[in-house]
Amino acid sequence: MHNGRVRHSVTIRDVARLAKVHPGTVSRALNPDTRALVNAATAERVADAAAQLGYQPNPIARGLKTNRSFTVGVLVPDITNPLFPPILRGIEDRLSRSGYTTLIVNTDNDSERERAALETMRARHVDGFITATARLEERVLSGFALSGTPIVLVNRGLEDGSLPMVGVDDRAGTLLAVEHVSSLGHRQIGHVAGPQDTSTGHQRYLGFLDAVASCGLDVEACPVSFASAFTEAGGARACAELFADGRELTAIVAANDLLALGCYDVLAQRGMRCPEDLSVVGFNDIPFIDRLRPPLTSVRVPQRDIGAAAGDLLLECLADPAAGRQIWLEPTLVVRGSTAAPRDPRRGSGTERLPA
Amino acid sequence: MHNGRVRHSVTIRDVARLAKVHPGTVSRALNPDTRALVNAATAERVADAAAQLGYQPNPIARGLKTNRSFTVGVLVPDITNPLFPPILRGIEDRLSRSGYTTLIVNTDNDSERERAALETMRARHVDGFITATARLEERVLSGFALSGTPIVLVNRGLEDGSLPMVGVDDRAGTLLAVEHVSSLGHRQIGHVAGPQDTSTGHQRYLGFLDAVASCGLDVEACPVSFASAFTEAGGARACAELFADGRELTAIVAANDLLALGCYDVLAQRGMRCPEDLSVVGFNDIPFIDRLRPPLTSVRVPQRDIGAAAGDLLLECLADPAAGRQIWLEPTLVVRGSTAAPRDPRRGSGTERLPA
DNA sequence: CTGTTAGCGCATTCAT
DNA sequence: ATGAATGCGCTAACAG
């Protein structure tokens, strides 16, 4: 055995030689699904030989034959958004324990990049997809689903609920938020809504309208402004709009935490304080949002659990393509320092510093 | 063509048939490296046929032949640590534009998980590794490097600098931090150090000692406490230790932002305010750390650039295994609200809430 | 129960 | 410049 071995790894054939059996037998002996087909004694001999040589099956060669890669593609808008890392860990957790490797791709909410990513991954023969990038009018995804590759949606769903998905009840979550500020005495509550082409943006908006009604608030006093993206900048723009026409507001319910952060920015600009001058509620309860100034009251979604459930669901779909259900987890409200009773429920009173 | 096509994608043979050439010719025509070998006219005919059929080369089959997978493995301790997502984006940015797909794995700083991850990825025939998980006494990594698979380190390096790496000058960064508080008038400065089995933890510690000397501070007045992990909890424990023996401190330089957050926790517990009672400096300048209460002064490391440089460096190593240099980027200091002049440089006194 | 054979899709010799 | 043949490492279908 000269030592110049560059990369010539040990193959099934080497094991066969050592165990004095046919390569086919090695394959059967080493594959859990087919081990039963082979004599226990030979199986063990093969296993020993494999161990001795440090044999590692080559998943690439296997995939060529079986048309399975044991990889799954995961699409997120932007891994830099703190919402996603915990979800990804949940996904990886479940998938890796079943032998799957995950390929993560950022799409930046660009449908062209999304298409390209799906294409690349399809070329790599991923066995399935999990995507957090769904938009309501999505056509691409449905197309892929039809092609036979399982797709599971996380966080965001489709209009028609035609694909398997894991998420929280966005309307219920928003209701929690509105009820909270409403019960604190707020009557003039604005909504900084998310992009309406996402289920999260849309459902939370609808949830806001529902909540305004069910809390007996005056619709006129509860304006809505739509952000074009779930970003801090988007939230700031939308929030500024809310104040543009000289409206009186004592609370804002934002469609996610990043939008709420944008609201914080606008408050700071206008010399208003939170929660004294304005209460703010976010959605998602992303990591570190509890460390902000002030700590953000937010609707918590169990991020890691969502990811784990998505992983499990994809596993189901992989095993039985007809599976594919929807899983809804419960959002809960986490009250922190960004919400308080309005200074004066009927009218902003006294020392009010701030017009602009 | 009956429609029951399940997953039978179009192969090089289908293209050959349509273009009326041999499969081998298709392979040559479609591969940029060998296109020159084929008549321009036929090449075009092949390209057309491929386009018409929507042919996608199968990287799995290709890899089986070429022993390259065009995938690279990326190891991070925990994607949930805000430091890593930007780095990962930088890596993905460079690698994907060269046709590589990245496999990301969390190791939780567990060397067993790390070994397993490397093994899994090796089995998948990744072409190279980028890892942010290096520990100084690392043996595994060197072993892999020897096996011929290029490895690039990010953020953390090895003791001996034997592997290609991209990072910042940790000692210089810490010097910036200490000089800053020192110039504000602090003389009793503690260091919450990171794990000493990581280069970042160790170098920043050494940098602190250097800085204490070069700023003319009294070593006795500048205690160090070591955290066992770069986490908030670790930082809290270490910070508490710093105060345990009734020490007087007016500033703390932490070895990273998460540790600094832990210091914040201890301050809150002890009823101390930052920066009035104690200044705190972090390291890394992770996302959202500027939104904390108070905004953290931190040594900024260009995270995304580091990732991009690591991607480029791996590409170099892939092209020329003998490459492998070290790349050092400059850290800079970002001053925010967590640092201010001590209330009284000589002794914590009266009402003075801050000059600065 | 095990050996044999064939072929997954492609790149790469060698001929021509 | 192109066709033909071979094999990467593995699994699956069929014999025996």
Side-chain angles (χ1 to χ4, degrees):
Chain A
M1 192 211 291
H2 61 98
N3 207 352
R5 64 199 303 293
V6 191
R7 230 174 183 282
H8 196 295
S9 41
V10 16
T11 89
I12 211 170
R13 218 126 45 193
D14 302 317
V15 178
R17 207 171 307 134
L18 181 58
K20 299 197 189 306
V21 292
H22 192 272
T25 306
V26 174
S27 171
R28 282 183 289 245
L30 261 29
N31 188 326
D33 298 339
T34 48
R35 180 164 308 152
L37 301 178
V38 47
N39 185 310
T42 17
E44 190 167 352
R45 208 167 73 239
V46 170
D48 286 352
Q52 183 179 334
L53 295 177
Y55 168 75
Q56 289 280 121
N58 181 337
I60 298 181
R62 191 211 303 272
L64 190 58
K65 186 69 188 173
T66 61
N67 226 341
R68 304 191 57 186
S69 61
F70 278 92
T71 61
V72 322
V74 179
L75 288 84
V76 293
D78 181 10
I79 201 192
T80 266
N81 178 333
L83 172 62
F84 297 113
I87 293 181
L88 290 173
R89 292 230 46 177
I91 293 175
E92 190 205 20
D93 179 35
R94 300 315 171 90
L95 255 28
S96 72
R97 80 167 62 155
S98 295
Y100 286 85
T101 297
T102 58
L103 310 179
I104 300 169
V105 169
N106 300 282
T107 67
D108 287 320
N109 280 314
D110 175 320
S111 53
E112 180 44 40
R113 292 179 66 127
E114 178 169 351
R115 210 198 41 69
L118 284 164
E119 214 52 68
T120 304
M121 292 176 145
R122 200 183 58 89
R124 286 195 181 277
H125 279 138
V126 297
D127 296 332
F129 291 103
I130 297 182
T131 178
T133 63
R135 261 155 286 116
L136 290 176
E137 25 57 67
E138 202 71 66
R139 301 171 203 303
V140 202
L141 292 181
S142 316
F144 266 79
L146 283 179
S147 87
T149 311
I151 299 189
V152 167
L153 309 180
V154 234
N155 194 40
R156 298 188 193 168
L158 292 188
E159 185 83 74
D160 55 3
S162 58
L163 292 181
M165 112 146 238
V166 179
V168 298
D169 185 335
D170 290 305
R171 295 173 80 141
T174 311
L175 181 60
L176 290 178
V178 175
E179 280 177 344
H180 167 60
V181 284
S182 166
S183 75
L184 284 174
H186 293 273
R187 291 293 170 267
Q188 299 162 313
I189 306 169
H191 180 47
V192 170
Q196 295 299 297
D197 60 346
T198 64
S199 67
T200 42
H202 193 54
Q203 291 299 316
R204 290 171 194 179
Y205 164 58
L206 296 180
F208 179 77
L209 297 185
D210 282 359
V212 165
S214 76
C215 291
L217 300 169
D218 175 10
V219 182
E220 296 299 313
C222 296
V224 176
S225 174
F226 297 92
S228 57
F230 278 120
T231 61
E232 191 173 338
R237 273 192 296 273
C239 179
E241 262 179 39
L242 235 32
F243 286 113
D245 44 1
R247 287 219 177 242
E248 304 269 351
L249 287 177
T250 64
I252 288 184
V253 169
N256 92 352
D257 294 338
L258 261 19
L259 295 177
L261 259 184
C263 296
Y264 276 19
D265 295 337
V266 172
L267 292 200
Q269 274 168 31
R270 300 173 60 95
M272 297 169 70
R273 287 168 313 163
C274 176
E276 292 84 349
D277 302 316
L278 189 85
S279 286
V280 176
V281 187
F283 203 118
N284 280 344
D285 192 30
I286 59 177
F288 298 103
I289 206 75
D290 56 329
R291 312 297 303 254
L292 293 194
R293 171 161 57 185
L296 185 66
T297 293
S298 186
V299 177
R300 164 173 294 168
V301 339
Q303 292 141 191
R304 189 150 178 162
D305 295 342
I306 283 192
D312 284 340
L313 186 51
L314 183 64
L315 254 16
E316 274 181 34
C317 295
L318 252 18
D320 170 18
R325 52 212 177 89
Q326 325 257 127
I327 299 176
W328 302 101
L329 303 185
E330 275 307 308
T332 51
L333 184 75
V334 184
V335 177
R336 302 204 181 89
S338 68
T339 46
R343 276 195 301 205
D344 172 15
R346 324 206 143 255
R347 181 113 317 268
S349 78
T351 32
E352 286 184 299
R353 43 152 86 185
L354 83 120
Chain B
M1 191 210 295
H2 62 97
N3 207 355
R5 65 199 299 297
V6 189
R7 230 173 182 283
H8 196 293
S9 41
V10 17
T11 89
I12 211 168
R13 219 128 43 192
D14 302 317
V15 179
R17 207 171 306 134
L18 180 59
K20 298 196 188 305
V21 292
H22 191 271
T25 307
V26 174
S27 171
R28 283 183 286 245
L30 261 28
N31 188 325
D33 298 339
T34 48
R35 182 164 305 153
L37 301 178
V38 50
N39 186 309
T42 24
E44 190 167 351
R45 208 168 71 240
V46 170
D48 286 351
Q52 183 178 334
L53 295 178
Y55 168 75
Q56 287 280 121
N58 180 336
I60 298 180
R62 191 212 302 274
L64 189 59
K65 191 71 189 171
T66 60
N67 224 344
R68 304 191 58 187
S69 62
F70 279 93
T71 60
V72 322
V74 179
L75 289 83
V76 294
D78 180 10
I79 202 192
T80 265
N81 178 333
L83 171 63
F84 297 113
I87 294 181
L88 289 173
R89 292 229 48 173
I91 294 175
E92 189 204 21
D93 178 36
R94 299 314 171 91
L95 255 28
S96 71
R97 79 166 63 153
S98 294
Y100 285 85
T101 297
T102 57
L103 309 180
I104 301 168
V105 170
N106 300 282
T107 67
D108 287 321
N109 280 314
D110 176 320
S111 53
E112 179 44 40
R113 292 180 64 126
E114 178 169 350
R115 210 198 41 67
L118 285 164
E119 215 50 69
T120 305
M121 292 176 144
R122 200 184 58 90
R124 287 196 180 276
H125 280 161
V126 296
D127 297 332
F129 291 103
I130 297 182
T131 178
T133 63
R135 260 155 287 116
L136 290 175
E137 25 58 64
E138 202 70 67
R139 302 172 201 302
V140 202
L141 291 181
S142 317
F144 267 79
L146 284 178
S147 86
T149 311
I151 299 190
V152 167
L153 310 181
V154 235
N155 193 41
R156 297 188 193 168
L158 254 39
E159 186 82 74
D160 55 3
S162 58
L163 292 180
M165 111 148 238
V166 179
V168 299
D169 185 333
D170 290 305
R171 295 171 79 139
T174 312
L175 181 60
L176 291 177
V178 176
E179 281 178 344
H180 167 61
V181 285
S182 165
S183 74
L184 284 174
H186 294 273
R187 291 292 171 270
Q188 299 162 314
I189 306 170
H191 180 47
V192 170
Q196 295 298 296
D197 60 345
T198 64
S199 68
T200 42
H202 192 54
Q203 292 299 317
R204 291 172 194 178
Y205 164 57
L206 296 181
F208 179 78
L209 297 184
D210 282 359
V212 165
S214 77
C215 290
L217 300 169
D218 176 10
V219 182
E220 297 298 313
C222 296
V224 177
S225 174
F226 298 92
S228 55
F230 277 120
T231 60
E232 192 173 338
R237 272 191 298 272
C239 179
E241 263 179 38
L242 235 32
F243 285 114
D245 45 0
R247 286 219 178 244
E248 303 269 353
L249 287 178
T250 64
I252 288 184
V253 169
N256 93 352
D257 293 339
L258 261 20
L259 296 177
L261 259 185
C263 296
Y264 275 20
D265 295 336
V266 172
L267 291 200
Q269 273 168 32
R270 301 173 60 94
M272 298 169 71
R273 286 167 314 161
C274 176
E276 292 85 348
D277 302 317
L278 190 86
S279 286
V280 177
V281 187
F283 204 117
N284 280 344
D285 192 31
I286 59 177
F288 299 103
I289 206 75
D290 55 328
R291 311 297 303 253
L292 294 194
R293 172 164 56 185
L296 184 68
T297 294
S298 186
V299 178
R300 163 173 295 166
V301 339
Q303 293 142 192
R304 187 150 179 161
D305 295 343
I306 284 191
D312 284 340
L313 186 51
L314 183 63
L315 254 15
E316 274 181 32
C317 295
L318 253 17
D320 170 17
R325 51 210 178 89
Q326 326 256 126
I327 300 176
W328 302 101
L329 303 185
E330 275 307 309
T332 51
L333 184 74
V334 184
V335 176
R336 301 205 181 89
S338 68
T339 47
R343 276 195 300 205
D344 172 19
R346 328 204 142 254
R347 181 114 319 268
S349 83
T351 27
E352 286 184 296
R353 53 160 64 196
L354 86 128

